Amino acid sequence: MSDYGHDLLFGSFVTPRGDDPGRTVDVAVLAEQVGLDLVTFQDHPYQPAFLDTWTLLSFVAARTNRVHVAANVTNLPLRPPAVLARSVASLDLLSGGRVGLGLGAGAFWEAIEAMGGRRLTPGQGVRALEEAIEVIRQIWDTEARGGVRVDGEFYRVRGAKRGPAPAHAVPIWLGAYKPRMLQLTGRRADGWLPSLSYLQPGDLAKGNAVIDDAAQQAGRAPQAVRRLLNIAGQFSAVGRGPLDGPAEQWVRELTELALGEGVSAFILASDDPDDLRRFAGEVAPAVRELVAAERARGAAPLGTPEPGRASEPERSPEPAARPSRATVTGGAFAVVPTPDDGVRRSGQQVWDESTRPAGPTPDPERTYTPHEQATGAHLVQVHDGLRAELAQIHDLIEQVAAGEIDAGAARSHINTMTMRQNRWTLGVYCESYCRIVTTHHTIEDQSLFPRLRARDPRLGPVVDRLEQEHHVIHDVLEGVDQALVAYVGSPDGLAQLRAAVDLLTDALLSHLSYEERELVEPLARLGIA
């Protein structure tokens, strides 16, 4: 199986440096601000140059509101599993269900021994890890009767009280490379979390095969195990190697890993704020859109609930997908395009809406399959995402105007410093949103529109007009960018920024409604995902 159907996640892998702890935390907070789903830190308790990972996770969880946090991965030989289970559950409760648990069998054994840990052979490490998973799951299982009892070779827990239960079903991800660890992942874990730099060509496919086989032998579905991947690379103007090139190259390569190797979570190892902004603003939205389109075309399988939690849907660090406004069933076409309410915020007009051409009238006798209906609904869902983000931009502007955003409070209570941080936060968000819109339009112009024109030439005038409006919206986005520059440089720039975003709102909402009105039915009728 090449695609396990999980929602895509994008995260950061931040170095827990202790020489500048404020910057370490700022980079983690930035991950949330730019829209990533997950922040992770390596866990090496014997490394004096690093902050303690569990202390850092707690601090970051307190500084954020949405992003999930996890160790990548926890050094089990120095973290007793019963205590670790309660630490994870406590932080999950305090953070509102935002913790994942990455686990490793151990490495750097001399350093572990120096800290009082026990040196284990590779085989012992695997057995100890499996025992630890049993201890952790029993501690969390407050519905079971009696105390926790695990009489293992490495961990013996005899009657410990259960609890507390975490706020959500905390996933356990294993950092695994060798066959025994991969088999354990398939039997007991919720995710496989290797680093791409440690893998050779073909290792992902081989690892997936071992995990899938072990899962099936244990009575589990392969989809019960999410495939995560730590990645590293650099953005550059010209491609020079894997994950070393422009954002478009990253999009192509990560999409291939998602659809071809089953990877559904990409965690970028970088402390560079610009890398995180580009990863979140340019790469993640485009990969999500391409994977969703391919899944809609091929009806990719959906993920399955975790064992023992069949009545509860899988909970992941990504917000739930926005539902379609139509029930996708066979029969008459039921996908409802978003109407244009006619409200305009700006006195300026960027085009004459009365000159927009219309496509062919749908056949009222035609029926549509559920798959065809889903194809039309997907365009509405993508547009709903853009509409929701646009509303957040307006909300951010109003919060900044009212002085309600307090992104710099932990570092300084000086009003001017807080305003600088507020302006920077708003700028990052608007910049990311502009990139998302541009990427979406590029995908349509280069892939979707040519296929529509080829399948039904009557749509040619509509497609031509939509492409022209894409260019106009690009110019409007440039105006937002210029207004951001003016806002940062002048205390009187907020009015100009508001005007630019109002114009963007008018143009974009009008354009999205027109596109849905003309294309949702042809997408279903022509079978184009």
Side-chain angles (χ1 to χ4, degrees):
M1 183 180 294
S2 57
D3 180 10
Y4 299 90
H6 295 107
D7 293 341
L8 298 188
L9 306 177
F10 294 85
S12 62
F13 193 0
V14 181
T15 307
R17 293 175 48 182
D19 58 345
D20 190 354
R23 185 179 188 279
T24 299
V25 173
D26 284 347
V27 172
V29 171
L30 174 65
E32 174 171 273
Q33 292 172 340
V34 299
L36 292 177
D37 307 297
L38 181 65
V39 174
T40 70
F41 302 95
Q42 57 190 288
D43 181 32
H44 296 289
Y46 38 75
Q47 172 55 268
F50 289 170
L51 298 167
D52 173 70
T53 296
W54 275 98
T55 305
L56 178 59
L57 288 171
S58 299
F59 195 87
V60 169
R63 285 285 308 275
T64 55
N65 299 296
R66 179 195 57 82
V67 75
H68 283 227
V69 297
N72 191 350
V73 290
T74 304
N75 189 296
L76 182 62
L78 293 175
R79 308 279 188 187
V83 178
L84 177 63
R86 291 201 167 125
S87 297
V88 173
S90 298
L91 184 56
D92 197 56
L93 289 165
L94 290 167
S95 66
R98 295 191 287 125
V99 178
L101 177 57
L103 283 176
F108 307 103
W109 291 103
E110 289 185 1
I112 289 173
E113 281 188 306
M115 290 285 288
R118 175 183 173 185
R119 180 188 289 268
L120 301 178
T121 66
Q124 289 175 327
V126 176
R127 297 198 300 274
L129 179 55
E130 185 159 18
E131 292 175 8
I133 292 173
E134 180 63 25
V135 171
I136 292 168
R137 291 202 189 281
Q138 285 200 35
I139 290 285
W140 292 344
D141 186 6
T142 56
E143 299 298 320
R145 296 175 61 87
V148 175
R149 296 192 178 276
V150 176
D151 189 17
E153 177 184 357
F154 303 94
Y155 299 110
R156 293 181 175 86
V157 182
R158 300 170 178 172
K161 301 292 185 182
R162 297 175 184 271
H168 85 306
V170 174
I172 295 178
W173 305 321
L174 301 189
Y177 299 92
K178 300 299 183 181
R180 282 177 292 192
M181 281 288 289
L182 293 169
Q183 291 165 1
L184 174 59
T185 302
R187 289 197 308 271
R188 301 298 306 275
D190 305 306
W192 177 31
L193 177 54
S195 294
L196 185 60
S197 59
Y198 292 164
L199 298 174
Q200 298 298 318
D203 281 354
L204 280 173
K206 293 175 184 176
N208 281 333
V210 174
I211 291 170
D212 292 353
D213 183 63
Q216 290 169 340
Q217 290 186 31
R220 310 176 72 202
Q223 295 98 321
V225 184
R226 179 187 282 280
R227 319 302 157 110
L228 306 94
L229 189 64
N230 294 319
I231 60 173
Q234 60 183 1
F235 292 99
S236 55
V238 179
R240 293 175 292 192
L243 295 181
D244 186 353
E248 293 79 6
Q249 177 185 329
W250 283 61
V251 170
R252 182 174 62 254
E253 293 176 4
L254 296 190
T255 300
E256 291 171 354
L257 286 169
L259 296 173
E261 304 289 356
V263 178
S264 59
F266 298 97
I267 303 172
L268 178 62
S270 176
D271 301 328
D272 187 333
D274 288 336
D275 284 350
L276 296 184
R277 292 184 187 114
R278 299 199 66 180
F279 187 58
E282 298 180 49
V283 177
V287 175
R288 281 196 172 105
E289 185 162 343
L290 290 173
V291 170
E294 192 63 28
R295 285 175 173 174
R297 183 188 310 175
L302 296 177
T304 59
E306 297 177 23
R309 301 184 177 125
S311 62
E312 183 177 7
E314 177 189 359
R315 299 178 184 179
S316 72
E318 185 178 24
R322 298 176 181 89
S324 168
R325 285 189 290 269
T327 301
V328 181
T329 58
F333 193 69
V335 181
V336 180
T338 306
D340 185 346
D341 61 11
V343 175
R344 298 294 180 263
R345 294 169 175 263
S346 173
Q348 182 180 354
Q349 293 185 345
V350 293
W351 50 55
D352 184 354
E353 296 176 5
S354 67
T355 61
R356 284 171 167 164
T361 302
D363 180 359
E365 302 299 321
R366 193 190 192 285
T367 60
Y368 302 81
T369 68
H371 180 66
E372 289 171 334
Q373 299 264 24
T375 301
H378 176 65
L379 180 66
V380 179
Q381 289 180 329
V382 170
H383 286 180
D384 281 348
L386 294 176
R387 294 183 185 99
E389 295 286 332
L390 190 58
Q392 289 184 49
I393 288 181
H394 282 284
D395 184 59
L396 273 173
I397 291 174
E398 296 311 313
Q399 289 183 56
V400 171
E404 295 175 355
I405 296 179
D406 196 19
R411 295 168 58 190
S412 172
H413 291 287
I414 303 174
N415 184 59
T416 55
M417 186 66 182
T418 301
M419 285 305 300
R420 287 195 191 114
Q421 184 69 22
N422 290 345
R423 292 181 175 198
W424 175 83
T425 301
L426 178 62
V428 168
Y429 195 93
C430 289
E431 179 185 14
S432 298
Y433 179 74
C434 292
R435 287 173 174 169
I436 291 171
V437 173
T438 300
T439 301
H440 171 67
H441 285 173
T442 299
I443 291 172
E444 289 184 331
D445 292 342
Q446 296 181 358
S447 177
L448 177 63
F449 288 173
R451 286 156 62 183
L452 283 169
R453 185 185 282 109
R455 293 281 185 90
D456 189 345
R458 295 175 299 171
L459 290 169
V462 172
V463 170
D464 289 341
R465 176 60 184 250
L466 289 170
E467 289 179 338
Q468 293 169 9
E469 292 189 5
H470 284 177
H471 291 294
V472 174
I473 291 175
H474 174 77
D475 292 339
V476 175
L477 289 169
E478 288 293 315
V480 173
D481 182 66
Q482 294 170 8
L484 281 167
V485 173
Y487 170 60
V488 172
S490 168
D492 301 324
L494 187 61
Q496 180 182 347
L497 177 57
R498 273 194 174 126
V501 175
D502 284 346
L503 182 60
L504 172 63
T505 301
D506 290 350
L508 189 60
L509 294 183
S510 170
H511 171 80
L512 296 180
S513 294
Y514 171 54
E515 183 172 295
E516 288 176 25
R517 186 188 78 199
E518 299 299 331
L519 295 189
V520 288
E521 189 279 334
L523 285 172
R525 171 170 52 87
L526 301 174
I528 298 175

